[in-house]
């Protein structure tokens, strides 16, 4: 009888745990919306990947009913920002995915917006920079590349998936400066998004690419490109590529990506969205995405996210002033 009673108690605990899980999902799903995510870049880049991966998982977890996406490239992200600020109310639950270039372009004065014109909801990932060449390029490393640029700064044309003075360019400039090279003498060609920049590298239009590790991982794994160095503080698991720090150039930098609501986003909507993204971060599906794309998690929500943005704005302002990108 005691064994039967113990088995019954164990069964009841399993049922209670199952019901508790259903209650949590139900609580998060109450009033679940059809969300619309605006992406300020073309298909194939890191912003596009962040939006579509997170949207897919939110839907698969049953946290939202459906997710639609809209790519609005142009103006260094200004077109999407302007559209979102004017038209977000057309959708039941609008969100804008954005990243560190939002701060960079605001500091540049390229458009009259900043993160203060939005409602920060949740930061999701940190994406480290990587410098890659085509797989069939000469088998040289980062030090040899710097040596060539020291002799002739115009010897190598470097591409990036965003405009001059933007994040891809800033990370390149920081790395070159750490190697004793004036970044203003090295030719940088901007492309509209990481996808087009990668095509330029594979097509021979540029010799090297400064880009995000996440959007480049599939090409590295497929053997189409070869990484020379990454900007992570430590080596990335599964990637046999040295960091700039271990090569003797103490530089670590990551691009954040996260979600925003409209400036007039109701407080209850913000709270519900924060809970969705917390559940997403805790999911096995999201951990698999991070591992597959070479991203690191970034856990900032609500007002904590706002303070994080304020800190990075000050850091980037200092860096850009030192590099001569802004006064």
């Amino acid at each position: 009888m005691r064994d039967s009673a113990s088995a019954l108690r164990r069964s009841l605990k399993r049922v209670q745990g199952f019901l508790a899980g259903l209650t949590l999902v139900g609580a998060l799903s109450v009033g679940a919306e059809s969300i619309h995510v605006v992406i300020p870049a073309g298909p194939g880049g890191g912003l596009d990947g962040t939006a579509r991966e997170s949207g897919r998982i939110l839907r698969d977890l049953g946290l939202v009913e459906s997710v639609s996406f809209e790519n609005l490239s142009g103006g260094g992200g200004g077109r999407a920002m302007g559209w979102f600020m004017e038209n977000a109310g057309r959708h039941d639950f609008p969100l804008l995915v954005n990243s560190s270039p939002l701060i960079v372009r605001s500091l540049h004065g390229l458009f009259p917006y900043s993160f203060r014109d939005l409602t920060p909801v949740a930061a999701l990932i940190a994406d480290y920079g990587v410098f890659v060449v085509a797989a069939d390029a000469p088998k040289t490393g980062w030090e040899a590349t710097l040596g060539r640029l020291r002799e002739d700064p115009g010897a190598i044309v470097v591409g990036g998936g965003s405009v001059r003075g933007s994040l891809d360019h800033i990370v390149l400039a920081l790395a070159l400066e750490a190697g004793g090279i004036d970044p203003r003498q090295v030719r940088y060609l901007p492309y509209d998004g990481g996808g087009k920049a990668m095509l330029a590298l594979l097509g021979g239009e540029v010799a090297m690419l400064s880009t995000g590790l996440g959007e480049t991982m599939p090409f590295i794994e497929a053997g189409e490109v070869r990484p020379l160095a990454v900007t992570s503080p430590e080596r990335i698991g599964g990637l046999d590529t040295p960091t700039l720090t271990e090569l003797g150039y103490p530089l670590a930098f990551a691009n954040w990506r996260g979600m925003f609501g409209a400036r007039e986003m109701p407080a209850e909507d913000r709270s519900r969205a924060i809970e969705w993204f917390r559940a997403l971060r805790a999911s096995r599906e999201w951990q698999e995405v991070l591992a597959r794309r070479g991203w690191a998690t970034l856990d900032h929500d609500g007002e904590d996210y706002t303070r994080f943005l304020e800190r990075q704005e000050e850091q980037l302002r200092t860096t850009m002033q030192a590099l001569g990108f802004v006064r």
Side-chain angles (χ1 to χ4, degrees):
M1 287 294 292
R2 281 198 299 269
D3 290 342
S4 298
S6 297
L8 179 60
R9 283 194 297 271
R10 287 194 297 270
S11 297
L12 286 173
K13 286 182 179 179
R14 285 195 294 269
V15 171
Q16 288 167 349
F18 176 72
L19 292 175
L22 289 179
T23 300
L24 173 61
V25 173
L28 292 173
S29 300
V30 169
E33 305 284 351
S34 297
I35 66 175
H36 183 74
V37 183
V38 176
I39 307 166
L47 281 170
D48 188 69
T50 301
R52 294 179 187 276
E53 293 278 26
S54 60
R56 173 183 61 81
I57 294 173
L58 288 178
R59 186 179 59 245
D60 290 350
L61 292 176
L63 299 173
V64 300
E65 294 176 0
S66 64
V67 186
S68 57
F69 306 95
E70 185 171 4
N71 293 86
L72 286 175
S73 61
R79 180 185 175 212
M81 277 286 290
W83 186 96
F84 191 77
M85 291 174 64
E86 294 293 330
N87 300 286
R90 295 182 180 182
H91 298 276
D92 292 337
F93 211 108
L95 292 172
L96 173 72
V97 63
N98 227 308
S99 58
S100 298
L102 168 62
I103 295 177
V104 172
R105 287 158 190 159
S106 296
L107 291 172
H108 270 300
L110 295 175
F111 49 67
Y113 316 118
S114 76
F115 64 85
R116 295 175 180 83
D117 296 302
L118 304 166
T119 298
V121 173
L124 297 176
I125 65 165
D127 188 9
Y128 293 104
V130 64
F131 304 102
V132 299
V133 296
D136 57 359
K139 300 296 183 181
T140 55
W142 181 249
E143 186 56 54
T145 300
L146 290 182
R148 188 177 173 194
L149 287 170
R150 289 189 191 103
E151 293 179 3
D152 178 11
I156 297 175
V157 180
V158 185
S162 48
V163 298
R164 286 182 57 81
S166 62
L167 202 63
D168 286 347
H169 194 194
I170 288 172
V171 173
L172 171 67
L174 288 170
L176 292 175
E177 189 176 62
I181 298 167
D182 184 352
R184 291 169 293 188
Q185 295 183 11
V186 176
R187 190 178 176 195
Y188 172 83
L189 281 184
Y191 292 88
D192 182 17
K196 292 182 179 179
M198 181 58 70
L199 288 176
L201 177 68
L202 297 177
E205 291 180 20
V206 297
M208 186 170 74
L209 203 62
S210 172
T211 185
L213 178 60
E215 62 192 275
T216 313
M217 280 295 288
F219 299 92
I220 295 173
E221 292 172 346
E224 296 181 79
V225 300
R226 181 166 54 86
L228 302 181
V230 293
T231 67
S232 56
E234 299 176 351
R235 286 208 179 196
I236 302 293
L239 186 69
D240 186 23
T241 303
T243 69
L244 290 175
T245 299
E246 71 178 86
L247 291 173
Y249 307 102
L251 171 65
F253 191 90
N255 174 24
W256 57 264
R257 297 195 185 99
M259 292 291 181
F260 296 82
R263 179 160 43 187
E264 63 277 9
M265 184 182 201
E268 59 272 22
D269 285 357
R270 186 191 199 189
S271 296
R272 191 156 76 249
I274 286 173
E275 291 304 318
W276 293 342
F277 288 110
R278 285 178 178 170
L280 175 141
R281 289 196 204 98
S283 70
R284 173 183 53 80
E285 292 86 349
W286 184 245
Q287 299 308 311
E288 291 173 352
V289 167
L290 296 178
R292 184 176 74 250
R293 287 184 172 263
W295 292 340
T297 191
L298 193 59
D299 300 333
H300 296 288
D301 302 308
E303 291 308 308
D304 177 53
Y305 187 15
T306 300
R307 290 188 292 272
F308 167 80
L309 295 170
E310 291 169 346
R311 290 192 299 270
Q312 192 182 78
E313 182 182 55
E314 186 56 35
Q315 178 192 34
L316 284 171
R317 178 186 288 109
T318 301
T319 300
M320 292 168 69
Q321 287 173 340
L323 294 171
F325 289 141
V326 296
R327 294 183 178 181

